Amino acid sequence: MPRFLSLIRIDEQDHPIKYATPEFGERMGALLEEITKAGVMQETAGLTPTSDGTRLTWSGGRISATDGPFTESKEVVGGYAILQAKDKAEALEWTRRFLEVHDEHMRVTAEVREITEG
C-alpha cells in the first residue's frame, strides 16, 4: 500500500494550539486512536518553532546555513503525519477528518503528497 506525507502548515505567529479547548484535545485523541487502530497512521509529530531551526542551502557549489526564525515565511510546517492508505483518496479523507477536528476559529492547512519508495 502506498504511503503519504501530510504536511501540516500553520501561521507560527498565530499558532492554533494557543486557542485549543479541552474538547479539541478529546476530539484529536479520539481521531488519532481511530486512525492508529485502522492501521493507517504510521507516524505523526509536531515540530519545534522555526526559531530553533536551521536551513541549509546548496547554491553555486557551496552550502550556506541560515538560522531561524525564517521571517520570510508566514505559513510554516508545524507538524507532519505519515499515512499508509490504499490510495490518495483515503489519505485525503483521513486528512480532511484531521482538519475538521480543529475548532472553527483555527486556521490549519494540510498538504498531502505520496511518498516515492525506492
Side-chain angles (χ1 to χ4, degrees):
M1 286 202 324
R3 295 186 319 144
F4 297 86
L5 175 64
S6 179
L7 297 168
I8 310 306
R9 298 184 183 273
I10 59 166
D11 178 346
E12 198 168 47
Q13 303 308 311
D14 193 29
H15 200 295
I17 207 68
K18 289 192 302 191
Y19 310 108
T21 63
E23 294 81 16
F24 165 75
E26 292 168 13
R27 291 190 309 271
M28 184 61 72
L31 178 64
L32 291 176
E33 184 177 335
E34 181 183 354
I35 193 171
T36 301
K37 283 182 179 177
V40 173
M41 178 66 73
Q42 292 196 319
E43 182 178 333
T44 188
L47 301 175
T48 61
T50 60
S51 59
D52 294 339
T54 301
R55 285 186 181 163
L56 298 177
T57 302
W58 174 258
S59 179
R62 298 179 54 129
I63 290 183
S64 62
T66 306
D67 290 329
F70 311 117
T71 56
E72 70 277 6
S73 301
K74 179 174 172 67
E75 194 176 71
V76 300
V77 176
Y80 70 94
I82 297 177
L83 311 173
Q84 186 165 29
K86 64 182 178 197
D87 54 26
K88 187 175 182 181
E90 182 184 18
L92 289 171
E93 176 62 19
W94 282 110
T95 303
R96 180 192 63 76
R97 290 185 60 195
F98 166 80
L99 291 174
E100 289 178 342
V101 163
H102 290 77
D103 293 324
E104 185 177 293
H105 57 277
M106 295 176 169
R107 180 170 170 78
V108 182
T109 301
E111 176 183 339
V112 177
R113 297 168 59 185
E114 187 169 351
I115 297 171
T116 58
E117 307 285 353

